[in-house]
Amino acid sequence: MDYLFVKFIRFCFVGALGMVIDFGTTYTCKEKFNWQKYLANSFGFGLAVCCNYVLNRYWTFASFNKQVLEEFSLYILIALVGLFINNTIIWYSHTRLEVRFYYAKIIAISITVLWNFFSNYFITFSSTINEQ
């Protein structure tokens, strides 16, 4: 099976777990704690990113980079750009196109996953490319 395809499938599996964490946290913060929806979304996204980093580092990309802080910083930077993309798509879909909030979130996640995978593959975990 193609190396990149396997990594993408693993990334998507980790992302699905992250989506459960993200949605669960967003829902709890927004609906139960009455947080503002974009703050709740950002918190859910952030918690999922931290969990996903650990799983992607060890399982998806099998990184043995000793510069963990640098690697995690790149991962967070890419995630923050992803968060901007995510919130922008949610805002546009929800506010301008009048798509329901959680449907807009699904659209945003679908687009953001492509950004996150390819950015992390070619930037954060680029040292694993040579280990194919």
Side-chain angles (χ1 to χ4, degrees):
M1 195 177 276
D2 184 53
Y3 176 79
L4 184 62
F5 181 72
V6 170
K7 291 208 175 296
F8 184 72
I9 294 301
R10 286 183 177 188
F11 188 84
C12 288
F13 183 79
V14 170
L17 177 60
M19 192 169 73
V20 170
I21 293 167
D22 185 353
F23 264 78
T25 302
T26 300
Y27 176 83
T28 300
C29 292
K30 181 180 177 292
E31 305 299 336
K32 301 298 180 189
F33 299 139
N34 296 316
W35 289 15
Q36 196 274 342
K37 61 187 159 196
Y38 297 109
L39 177 63
N41 182 61
S42 298
F43 186 71
F45 190 88
L47 184 60
V49 163
C50 290
C51 294
N52 285 4
Y53 168 74
V54 173
L55 291 171
N56 281 317
R57 174 178 165 79
Y58 293 108
W59 186 55
T60 304
F61 297 104
S63 175
F64 296 100
N65 185 345
K66 294 182 194 266
Q67 303 297 322
V68 177
L69 185 57
E70 180 182 323
E71 186 180 78
F72 183 65
S73 296
L74 285 171
Y75 193 88
I76 292 296
L77 181 62
I78 288 167
L80 288 173
V81 172
L83 176 61
F84 176 77
I85 292 167
N86 187 279
N87 274 331
T88 300
I89 292 168
I90 290 172
W91 172 82
Y92 186 79
S93 299
H94 182 62
T95 306
R96 301 288 186 182
L97 302 178
E98 298 181 1
V99 174
R100 295 180 71 163
F101 179 77
Y102 290 108
Y103 291 135
K105 189 165 175 63
I106 290 169
I107 294 166
I109 288 169
S110 300
I111 294 167
T112 305
V113 73
L114 295 173
W115 158 261
N116 286 335
F117 175 75
F118 287 108
S119 297
N120 281 302
Y121 180 75
F122 288 113
I123 298 170
T124 308
F125 300 107
S126 62
S127 64
T128 65
I129 294 172
N130 299 328
E131 299 169 5
Q132 304 183 34

